Every structure is written in C-alpha cells, then in structure tokens.
C-alpha cells in the first residue's frame, strides 16, 4: 500500500510543473475572455444593435434560401425579427465559453479533479461575473442590466461546466476501458 502512495505522490510531483503552466494558461485565457465580454458589454445600444443585426443577417444568409435576392428593407426587417434570439444566444455562448475556461482553470489547480469542484468554484464565479456584467451595462448608454440575462448567462456557464464534465467522464471511461482491455 505504501508503494502505491509513493507512486501517486511521485506522479503528482512530476506533473506539478505541467499543471502550473496549464493553470497559468487557463487563468490567462479566462481573463482575456472576461475582457472580451466586458468590451462587448461596453458597446452602446446603437453599436450593439448593429452588431447583432450583422449576426442576424449572417444567420439569415445561411438559413433562408434566396435571402440575398430580397430587397434591402425586407432583409433588414428579418434581421430585426431574429435580433432578440441572436442576442440571447450570444449571451449564452459567451458564458458557455467562460464556463469551460473557468472549469479548466479549476481542474488545472486540483490535485485530484472532481466534478463537484467545478460546480463549487466555476459556477459561482460565472454567476458573479454575469451579475457584474449586467450591473456594468446599467452605465452604458442605451443598455440595461437584466436579471433574465444573468439567468441566461448562468445557464451558459452551467452548460460549459457540463461540457467539461462530460469530457472528463469520457476520458475516465476510455482510460478504465483501456486498462481492462
């Protein structure tokens, strides 16, 4: 039994430099993504609307046959109709990436990765950042901070955590499967 403990400790010590580097990279990526979210939230209402309308136009071009042949007024009208779902999907997507990055950061500093650690660290951090982001939008011209957006953002964080947890589960399954094969 002592040999198993010694081997495990040796592996942990050998992996320590790699883990520290991974932790720094994950932390830096998390910070950069938070800056990206902040910059998107810093856009005033007019710029934000134009950004989401461009995204709506792109979606329409990809999904609606013959969209490019429509008159400009009809194209803009459709883009405006799908503006709301595009904005909410953007919220969820931004925070899904943040949830993934927070999860990877939490895992990179853990000696023994546990899914519980993800929920206890990554999720509250994501919710706090979502709330602070919506608070920040109260001070941006034409923007508003909404509780519903915090809930959408938090759902995105949870989805990011679920994705990382799923990959952890698959990795563990393949690892144990190869041991018994």
């Amino acid at each position: 039994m002592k040999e198993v403990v010694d081997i495990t400790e040796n592996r942990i010590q050998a992996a320590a430099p790699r883990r520290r580097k991974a932790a720094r990279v994950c932390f830096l990526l998390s910070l950069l993504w938070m800056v990206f979210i902040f910059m998107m939230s810093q856009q005033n209402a007019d710029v934000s609307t134009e950004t989401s309308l461009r995204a709506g136009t792109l979606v329409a071009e990809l999904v609606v046959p013959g969209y490019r042949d429509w008159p400009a007024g009809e194209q803009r009208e459709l883009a405006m109709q799908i503006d709301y779902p595009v904005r909410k999907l953007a919220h969820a997507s931004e925070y899904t990436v943040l949830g993934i990055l927070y999860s990877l950061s939490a895992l990179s500093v853990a000696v023994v990765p546990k899914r519980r650690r993800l929920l206890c660290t990554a999720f509250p951090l994501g919710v706090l950042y979502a709330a602070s982001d919506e608070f920040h939008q109260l001070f941006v011209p034409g923007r508003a901070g909404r509780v519903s957006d915090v809930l959408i953002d938090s759902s995105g964080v949870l989805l990011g955590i679920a994705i990382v947890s799923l990959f952890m589960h698959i990795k563990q399954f393949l690892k144990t499967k190869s041991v018994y094969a």
Side-chain angles (χ1 to χ4, degrees), residues 61-91:
E61 287 175 355
L62 294 172
V63 176
V64 179
Y67 175 80
R68 290 180 187 216
D69 300 329
W70 291 13
E74 288 181 27
Q75 287 179 348
R76 185 158 178 92
E77 186 178 320
L78 178 62
M80 291 175 75
Q81 287 176 354
I82 60 176
D83 178 62
Y84 183 79
V86 166
R87 283 179 180 266
K88 298 313 163 190
L89 185 59
H91 268 270

Side-chain angles (χ1 to χ4, degrees), residues 17-34:
R18 277 193 325 253
R19 283 185 165 279
R20 281 194 296 271
K21 184 176 180 180
R24 283 192 291 264
V25 168
C26 291
F27 183 71
L28 177 63
L29 289 173
S30 296
L31 286 177
L32 289 173
W33 195 254
M34 290 166 64

Side-chain angles (χ1 to χ4, degrees), residues 133-175:
D133 184 48
E134 290 303 315
F135 180 74
H136 161 241
Q137 288 183 37
L138 292 173
F139 303 99
V140 177
R143 301 289 296 266
R146 293 186 169 87
V147 173
S148 61
D149 284 347
V150 173
L151 295 174
I152 290 169
D153 298 345
S154 300
S155 298
V157 171
L158 202 53
L159 177 60
I161 293 168
I163 289 169
V164 170
S165 293
L166 178 65
F167 277 104
M168 284 175 55
H169 183 73
I170 290 169
K171 181 181 173 185
Q172 186 63 37
F173 174 77
L174 293 175
K175 192 176 183 180

